[in-house]
Amino acid sequence: MERISWNQYFMAQSHLLSLRSTCTRLMVGATIVRDKRIIAGGYNGSVTGSVHCIDDGCYVIDGHCVRTVHAEANALLQCAKFGVPTENADVYVTHFPCLQCTKQLIQSGIKTVYYAEDYKNHPYAIQLFEEAGVKTIKVELDYLSLDMEYKEKSMLVKELLELITDEQDGEQVNHLKEKAQALFQI
């Protein structure tokens, strides 16, 4: 069995955290790491004790949901709350940080931002990261690496697709073949 890489491990943690999000527009997770150890995690959700987007809908002003505290901010605030230093730590985020989170990450001493997906990457955020010497590295999560039998499953589907002959091709079979090829990227 091949071990999951550190980047995939921490990015998977961020994706897992995002499942706790209470914002219906975008589920985001963030994991702060220092010396290959998780020191905090956060997801975008409402202020403690307040109404959640999943209950009352998003509160949108100027195209942004203002009801939630962003994942990166929640992770940083968790460190502040428990007295955990963030200087020279890294953060793994499911989406590229917004401008406000960019400033907070820089001010907190984060040295590298790993993100899985581009999301409205603001040019000024990119500029600020560059000026501060904060590296931004895209690390797309390999979802299949989380399935311990993904290789065997992929090979089985590939073999089954090869058994389907052109004579058997109908609209339904073609649809299933396309779906399997997209799902397993074969």
Side-chain angles (χ1 to χ4, degrees), residues 172-186:
Q172 189 175 21
V173 172
N174 280 333
H175 173 72
L176 290 174
K177 281 173 75 173
E178 289 171 8
K179 193 173 179 180
Q181 288 168 337
L183 185 63
F184 287 96
Q185 299 176 353
I186 52 177

Side-chain angles (χ1 to χ4, degrees), residues 153-166:
K153 292 175 184 177
S154 180
M155 288 303 296
L156 175 64
V157 170
K158 188 175 182 180
E159 288 175 32
L160 288 170
L161 290 174
E162 289 171 0
L163 289 175
I164 298 173
T165 65
D166 290 336

Side-chain angles (χ1 to χ4, degrees), residues 100-173:
Q100 293 305 316
C101 287
T102 294
K103 292 187 270 184
Q104 293 168 15
L105 292 167
I106 291 168
Q107 288 299 96
S108 67
I110 296 293
K111 66 177 181 178
T112 307
V113 175
Y114 297 93
Y115 65 100
E117 297 178 40
D118 291 302
Y119 183 73
K120 301 180 182 178
N121 302 20
H122 197 285
Y124 188 51
I126 295 167
Q127 178 185 335
L128 287 173
F129 279 139
E130 288 173 1
E131 289 173 357
V134 175
K135 292 185 223 160
T136 56
I137 301 171
K138 190 170 187 177
V139 176
E140 294 179 15
L141 179 62
D142 178 3
Y143 291 94
L144 295 179
S145 70
L146 302 179
D147 181 349
M148 299 307 191
E149 297 176 354
Y150 78 93
K151 290 179 183 176
E152 292 82 2
K153 292 175 184 177
S154 180
M155 288 303 296
L156 175 64
V157 170
K158 188 175 182 180
E159 288 175 32
L160 288 170
L161 290 174
E162 289 171 0
L163 289 175
I164 298 173
T165 65
D166 290 336
E167 293 88 37
Q168 294 169 314
D169 282 355
E171 189 176 320
Q172 189 175 21
V173 172

Side-chain angles (χ1 to χ4, degrees), residues 35-52:
D35 299 324
K36 303 275 189 265
R37 299 289 177 260
I38 296 171
I39 59 172
Y43 54 87
N44 57 329
S46 297
V47 173
T48 303
S50 187
V51 173
H52 295 281

